[in-house]
Amino acid sequence: MRALADVLLRRGWSLSGSDLALAEDFTSKNPSLNNLVVHRSHDAENLPRGADLLFYSDAVPENNPERLRAIEIGVPQLSYFEAVGLLTTKKNVVAVAGTHGKSSTSAMIGHICAEAGCDPTVFCGAAPIGGFSGGRSGNSSLAVVEACEFRSHFLALRPRSVILHAVEPDHFDCFPTQESLRTAFVDFLQAVPDNGAIYFRHENAMAAHIASLAISSVSSRSPKRFSFGLSSQADWTSDNLSEKAGCYRFDLRRDGQKVAVVQMPIPGMHNVVNAVAAAGWCLDFGISAEQTAHALASFPGLRRRFEVLGGFGGVAWVDDYAHHPTEVVSALETCREAFPNRRIWCIFQPHQALRTARLLDEFAESLLLADKIVLADIFRAREGAWKPGDVQAEDLAQRVREIGRRSPDDVVLLRDVFTELESRVQANDVILTLGAGDLRKVGYEFFERLRKHRSPE
């Protein structure tokens, strides 16, 4: 919603909004948002008189008082993706989809294109480090959109190109079966026109299958199809990798031929994959290899995507949005490379009870990459209050202990140890907070306690 607000305000719209969990610095860090009125409540009176449209995120239900008021007075409503779809109808849209890597790859493409002078419009769900939102209002025909599969939202888009990362079960409330998940992605890719292109993750069998089905299901369809990844068999890939403090330098190759040398300023092998996908599309779009490599070298990274927030007393703090086992593994492996030979405390907040229950063993195995594991209560998001039979953080803790044969002291609940955590953490440790909920505020509170108790008098 921030990205949408940013784009609309820069185009001269008059906006107001409501958000219960809004950060205090919502407008102060972005001059384009200075005229945005934000209410910290949901109330029918917040809907201004004379409003032409009401935009809403799917976190806002139909019985929201402002949405009910809009119905009462006849104000049309658009979801976020319906709005983005309409705003990009006449643009050359590249949409980035898949279970992981959407935000980073979208932001990389937007950054490369902006640095190359293409002036794109960008709708990305995560903000760049040092920036406010993932939105950018450009004057060219190019639009870069992060395309989320939740509730099949991406079907509101009409992309010319699609970059499809790995597809894995994730939103179990929307896609209870593999078939329902596959069908949604095939429907999305079928929107790519004959003069368009589909880029898919080579190493992910589901993504490759979806890309094949999307084209073969209609015999007359002929969009181009390219693979990307780490395999030498992929059309776009990396080679000759070297790593320092978790950040990789590599040769970018197309069809086995070296086209550029890329130095990533942000850590993680998963970001090599993201960069290969972004660079491959940008070079095919017409941006030079030199411009692409130069832009990637200056990519600032994204907030909550392995964001190093500093630390105190020799203890480092990194925050990441990971809320799926594959993402937890990537975050912890990256942490090992970025902070070698240091003890890692992983404070993890599971996101949704249903996801946690369906992937309980996978979550348990992924967390075992940490030295110390602290589990926060499940952030239930759209699920409402706890019901008898729902999985809880205690269940995940027990499964981690069973699978990893860890002692009770190695796997603890945050609510049981928070007040004494600063006495357990030692200098040279790393705190890695993981989760898509509100865990970041726990990190701030912990480091405030650390400063208070370890500061010299």
Side-chain angles (χ1 to χ4, degrees):
M1 297 301 285
R2 290 184 179 188
L4 177 61
D6 205 345
V7 170
L8 292 177
L9 284 166
R10 290 179 186 274
R11 295 185 179 185
W13 286 58
S14 176
L15 295 181
S16 64
S18 304
D19 194 329
L20 295 176
L22 204 59
E24 292 294 332
D25 63 352
F26 184 77
T27 60
S28 63
K29 293 184 178 180
N30 193 329
S32 72
L33 302 179
N34 285 342
N35 296 322
L36 177 62
V37 177
V38 180
H39 304 280
R40 297 181 185 277
S41 65
H42 291 297
D43 190 290
E45 296 301 316
N46 292 344
L47 188 66
R49 294 182 180 181
D52 297 301
L53 281 171
L54 182 147
F55 301 108
Y56 64 91
S57 81
D58 279 275
V60 178
E62 292 181 357
N63 64 354
N64 174 271
E66 294 168 44
R67 293 191 63 186
L68 291 176
R69 176 60 174 162
I71 294 173
E72 181 183 340
I73 63 177
V75 175
Q77 301 184 39
L78 292 174
S79 71
Y80 168 81
F81 271 99
E82 288 172 337
V84 172
L86 287 174
L87 288 167
T88 58
T89 297
K90 297 182 179 181
K91 288 186 176 290
N92 176 2
V93 176
V94 51
V96 184
T99 309
H100 323 290
K102 295 186 293 294
S103 295
S104 294
T105 305
S106 301
M108 286 179 187
I109 293 174
H111 181 73
I112 294 168
C113 292
E115 291 292 298
C118 298
D119 198 17
T121 295
V122 181
F123 292 96
C124 179
I129 292 175
F132 172 77
S133 85
R136 184 184 192 278
S137 180
N139 292 316
S140 75
S141 62
L142 177 63
V144 185
V145 181
E146 177 180 349
C148 180
E149 73 273 18
F150 178 67
R151 295 181 181 171
S152 297
H153 288 322
F154 49 20
L155 297 183
L157 305 173
R158 288 294 176 265
R160 177 79 61 82
S161 304
V162 168
I163 294 173
L164 181 62
H165 278 285
V167 178
E168 297 184 72
D170 184 22
H171 297 292
F172 295 97
D173 50 344
C174 305
F175 308 112
T177 65
Q178 289 269 38
E179 179 59 31
S180 60
L181 179 65
R182 180 167 52 245
T183 298
F185 275 96
V186 170
D187 289 345
F188 173 56
L189 263 61
Q190 285 180 339
V192 177
D194 289 348
N195 63 347
I198 295 172
Y199 296 72
F200 65 92
R201 176 70 190 271
H202 183 277
E203 294 88 349
N204 184 252
M206 176 73 95
H209 185 49
I210 288 168
S212 178
L213 285 175
I215 293 177
S216 63
S217 58
V218 181
S219 59
S220 62
R221 285 176 53 74
S222 59
K224 296 178 182 178
R225 190 172 62 163
F226 306 99
S227 61
F228 67 89
L230 300 174
S231 169
S232 60
Q233 302 302 310
D235 297 315
W236 285 99
T237 189
S238 61
D239 189 24
N240 194 28
L241 283 83
S242 59
E243 176 264 330
K244 183 176 182 180
C247 297
Y248 284 86
R249 179 184 177 90
F250 62 91
D251 294 343
L252 177 68
R253 293 184 178 272
R254 178 173 183 174
D255 299 327
Q257 300 298 311
K258 178 179 173 180
V259 295
V261 178
V262 176
Q263 174 64 62
M264 294 302 296
I266 57 175
M269 181 62 75
H270 60 290
N271 277 317
V272 172
V273 176
N274 295 336
V276 168
W281 184 88
C282 287
L283 266 70
D284 285 343
F285 180 69
I287 298 173
S288 72
E290 181 181 3
Q291 288 175 314
T292 299
H294 180 75
L296 283 172
S298 65
F299 180 66
L302 297 177
R303 296 179 63 184
R304 302 223 62 211
R305 302 309 191 271
F306 206 80
E307 183 181 2
V308 181
L309 293 171
F312 184 81
V315 180
W317 177 23
V318 181
D319 184 51
D320 195 278
Y321 192 71
H323 57 286
H324 184 281
T326 299
E327 296 163 355
V328 172
V329 169
S330 292
L332 283 165
E333 289 180 343
T334 301
C335 200
R336 289 286 180 201
E337 291 183 334
F339 299 95
N341 304 315
R342 296 176 69 168
R343 186 170 66 167
I344 297 174
W345 289 75
C346 177
I347 305 179
F348 176 60
Q349 182 183 39
H351 191 261
Q352 294 191 302
L354 180 58
R355 179 187 285 122
T356 307
R358 294 287 294 270
L359 299 174
L360 192 68
D361 284 358
E362 290 87 345
F363 273 121
E365 292 172 355
S366 67
L367 290 165
L368 289 170
L369 293 173
D371 299 300
K372 298 288 185 179
I373 301 162
V374 183
L375 297 176
D377 290 335
I378 294 174
F379 189 83
R380 297 184 62 86
R382 303 172 293 275
E383 294 176 311
W386 179 85
K387 302 179 294 294
D390 285 354
V391 70
Q392 299 185 76
E394 291 92 329
D395 300 311
L396 178 56
Q398 183 60 31
R399 200 72 188 107
V400 174
R401 297 186 191 110
E402 291 171 353
I403 291 178
R405 298 180 180 179
R406 293 290 188 91
S407 71
D409 285 343
D410 285 342
V411 187
V412 296
L413 299 177
L414 180 63
R415 61 174 179 268
D416 294 339
V417 302
F418 182 73
T419 57
E420 58 184 85
L421 197 57
E422 72 270 11
S423 65
R424 299 190 181 197
V425 174
Q426 303 171 5
N428 210 42
D429 284 355
V430 179
I431 300 288
L432 178 62
T433 49
L434 298 180
D438 57 0
L439 186 65
R440 186 170 172 132
K441 66 184 182 183
V442 171
Y444 283 120
E445 186 176 348
F446 169 73
F447 274 90
E448 283 303 312
R449 292 177 63 90
L450 205 63
R451 290 185 181 93
K452 179 178 179 181
H453 292 123
R454 296 193 183 182
S455 293
E457 296 183 0

